Amino acid sequence: MNGSAEDYKYVILGAGPAGLTFANRLLDAGVDSFLVLEKEETAGGLCRSEEAAGAPLDIGGGHFLDVRSPWIDDYLFRFMPRSEWDLYTRCSKIDVRGQLIDHPFEANIWQFPEADREAYLHSIAKAGCCLGLPAPEKFTDWIVWKLGRRIAEDYMLPYNRKMFSHDLDQLGTYWLSKLPDVSYGDTLRSCREHRAYAKQPGHAQFYYPKKYGYGEVWLRMGERLGTHLKTGCTVTGLDFDTRTVTARGNADTFSVTAGIVVNTIPWTCFDRLDGMPEELRRSTARLRTSALQIEYREDDPYPDSDAQWIYCPDPALSYHRVLERRNFLPGSRGCWTETNAERTEGNGNFRYMNRYAYPLNTIDKPAIMEQLLAFARRHGVYGLGRWGEHRHFNSDVTVERAIKLQQEIE
Ligand SMILES: Cc1cc2nc3c(=O)[nH]c(=O)nc-3n(C[C@H](O)[C@H](O)[C@H](O)COP(=O)(O)OP(=O)(O)OC[C@H]3O[C@@H](n4cnc5c(N)ncnc54)[C@H](O)[C@@H]3O)c2cc1C
């Protein structure tokens, strides 16, 4: 495939939701000159599914299609009609010292015995946000400022330490719209009326396929691309001056050049980024990611719960979240767990390691990404999606961003 001047109008790196959507939009627009390069044998990225014990399991963790953007869902229903999905109302719980309470924590402390409830209320009343103190810049300080010391120590700090297995002091606070925002007034009202007053920040309602795992819709998007999608080839290099992409296939190493490169793979996974100034190369290398292992378990720790997923802050348990698949895949058995790669133990069941699961929101990340994305754009290279933009986007958001980027540049 070695080409001379320009082999393709577009080369898209990665066939997860971002790359698949961008490529399908090109087809919709009648563009034929493009190639998608994907290192795995199948499309779907973190949203892929496999089978374990006779039922689907999402190998990138628990994945649900949020209802918040109907036009995005309608776009995905073109590939997998609405009739093939079930609609669920979120039921998620937190295991606090063996007691399951509903999420979010601060809207459901009324579910604790009276002594605990009072201790939590007392602690929130003394939290910095209730005392009018300015919001801190570090994630760990922000948690105590927002929720008080008791909820921080019993839930948020241990849970986030397990999930990110990273020095939490390196994380900033600019991404916290992902977390529930429950006021002290709402907490008091919940305690008085014994019902939650809070808005879930995501997945209040969601779709999940009736017969398949979440991966099915992305597989179908990949199939539509035909020979435009080349799987089993790992991108290793990118030259910004010539927009030449180098990749390693099953049998060969090859390079292709493009008018425009759309990058959806982690910026830190390239062996070579040619034409990039040394200072930017050094700051790009400071971007942090974390890895996640998914494991199927026959011995479900919560066999009677009606939750679709359960958060587990207890440091004695290796995993931090359990997916109760019978509650969104009727008739299935067992559960799957999510464990940060640094905490994995494994018990011999089906397991899958995602080397890149979370782009970490370190304090210096926004400045690094601003420079990197601006430099790349000036060279006809566009960062897109969870890795291309290094942000905690959910799949519906990556689809939206891909549609908008394609509209902007085509
Ligand atoms: C635990 C967890 C739970 C989540 N839950 C939800 C949820 O409930 N709902 C939701 O909507 N979203 C959820 N997400 C987010 C969702 O996974 C992402 O939004 C989505 O996968 C982002 O798509 P993407 O294409 O940007 O990245 P990815 O899906 O990561 O795709 C990137 C692609 O690039 C490929 N690639 C990487 N390196 C190379 C290389 N060197 N060469 C070639 N190809 C390469 C990868 O194999 C992959 O196919 C969750 C994520 C995690 C980790």
Side-chain angles (χ1 to χ4, degrees):
M1 207 186 293
N2 274 319
S4 49
E6 196 174 279
D7 299 304
Y8 296 95
K9 188 167 179 193
Y10 294 92
V11 170
I12 299 154
L13 316 185
L20 288 169
T21 305
F22 191 91
N24 271 283
R25 292 302 286 181
L26 290 178
L27 277 188
D28 294 342
V31 178
D32 195 47
S33 176
F34 71 91
L35 181 69
V36 184
L37 298 173
E38 166 56 50
K39 82 174 156 57
E40 303 291 343
E41 296 300 332
T42 50
L46 279 167
C47 297
R48 282 171 299 150
S49 309
E50 288 192 15
E51 197 186 283
L57 178 151
D58 298 340
I59 59 175
H63 274 80
F64 307 95
L65 177 60
D66 208 312
V67 298
R68 68 190 146 189
S69 302
W71 72 278
I72 296 296
D73 296 345
D74 285 343
Y75 181 70
L76 295 174
F77 294 157
R78 285 200 215 165
F79 299 89
M80 189 168 162
R82 166 72 185 85
S83 58
E84 293 193 58
W85 302 77
D86 276 325
L87 179 64
Y88 291 92
T89 296
R90 171 172 176 168
C91 173
S92 59
K93 297 194 186 272
I94 308 165
D95 180 346
V96 189
R97 297 183 303 271
Q99 179 176 351
L100 288 187
I101 67 151
D102 286 303
H103 182 271
F105 195 118
E106 53 286 25
N108 291 292
I109 60 179
W110 58 274
Q111 296 175 358
F112 284 108
E114 200 175 331
D116 286 336
R117 196 185 319 157
E118 281 188 11
Y120 284 125
L121 272 183
H122 193 61
S123 172
I124 303 175
K126 288 195 296 187
C129 74
C130 292
L131 300 176
L133 300 177
E137 282 186 10
K138 281 187 194 163
F139 180 51
T140 39
D141 297 340
W142 183 90
I143 289 174
V144 178
W145 172 85
K146 174 72 184 157
L147 300 170
R149 193 154 292 283
R150 278 289 302 261
I151 297 182
E153 285 172 358
D154 287 0
Y155 168 45
M156 282 294 278
L157 288 172
Y159 182 78
N160 281 287
R161 269 188 209 114
K162 286 175 74 175
M163 180 169 162
F164 293 119
S165 271
H166 190 77
D167 179 0
L168 289 186
D169 275 338
Q170 290 188 33
L171 302 189
T173 55
Y174 50 85
W175 55 285
L176 297 178
S177 58
K178 297 278 279 187
L179 301 184
D181 185 11
V182 184
S183 70
Y184 184 49
D186 285 341
T187 302
L188 284 177
R189 196 166 164 211
S190 303
C191 285
R192 265 198 310 270
E193 297 179 24
H194 283 204
R195 53 169 288 207
Y197 281 96
K199 219 170 127 248
Q200 291 286 2
H203 295 117
Q205 283 200 306
F206 58 83
Y207 296 102
Y208 195 83
K210 285 183 176 153
K211 285 206 307 204
Y212 306 98
Y214 192 58
E216 178 67 17
V217 64
W218 315 104
L219 273 184
R220 293 187 194 181
M221 286 175 89
E223 276 162 16
R224 181 175 180 236
L225 298 177
T227 54
H228 290 287
L229 170 60
K230 193 168 160 58
T231 57
C233 50
T234 302
V235 172
T236 52
L238 170 61
D239 185 320
F240 284 91
D241 293 326
T242 58
R243 285 180 301 281
T244 301
V245 175
T246 312
R248 196 176 52 242
N250 291 330
D252 58 344
T253 298
F254 61 90
S255 51
V256 285
T257 56
I260 286 176
V261 175
V262 175
N263 177 38
T264 79
I265 72 177
W267 288 100
T268 48
C269 78
F270 290 91
D271 293 341
R272 300 182 62 110
L273 286 172
D274 293 324
M276 181 185 264
E278 192 48 39
E279 199 184 326
L280 185 54
R281 193 194 307 274
R282 272 202 299 272
S283 58
T284 302
R286 290 208 308 274
L287 292 172
R288 291 285 167 265
T289 58
S290 73
L292 183 74
Q293 179 167 284
I294 304 308
E295 186 169 11
Y296 172 72
R297 297 169 63 107
E298 201 78 48
D299 57 328
D300 185 343
Y302 308 101
D304 302 320
S305 174
D306 57 351
Q308 290 113 6
W309 63 90
I310 296 167
Y311 302 101
C312 306
D314 181 354
L317 301 170
S318 58
Y319 49 83
H320 57 265
R321 191 163 78 130
V322 178
L323 280 299
E324 299 290 345
R325 69 174 172 176
R326 68 183 173 284
N327 294 329
F328 54 91
L329 267 168
S332 62
R333 62 173 205 277
C335 65
W336 76 77
T337 54
E338 295 175 355
T339 310
N340 184 290
E342 291 173 29
R343 300 176 53 86
T344 51
E345 310 170 329
N347 64 8
N349 284 318
F350 172 94
R351 255 179 264 159
Y352 189 89
M353 180 63 81
N354 299 281
R355 181 161 169 221
Y356 295 97
Y358 289 99
L360 293 181
N361 288 313
T362 48
I363 291 169
D364 57 358
K365 184 200 82 171
I368 297 173
M369 286 311 295
E370 193 183 333
Q371 279 187 333
L372 172 56
L373 291 176
F375 166 82
R377 269 188 177 232
R378 285 197 298 277
H379 290 76
V381 177
Y382 292 78
L384 174 69
R386 193 169 177 93
W387 304 109
E389 298 175 79
H390 211 82
R391 288 175 65 180
H392 276 202
F393 292 140
N394 272 354
S395 58
D396 55 325
V397 180
T398 58
V399 169
E400 179 175 354
R401 294 183 79 81
I403 290 174
K404 290 189 169 158
L405 180 66
Q406 189 274 330
Q407 277 167 347
E408 179 196 327
I409 56 184
E410 177 54 23

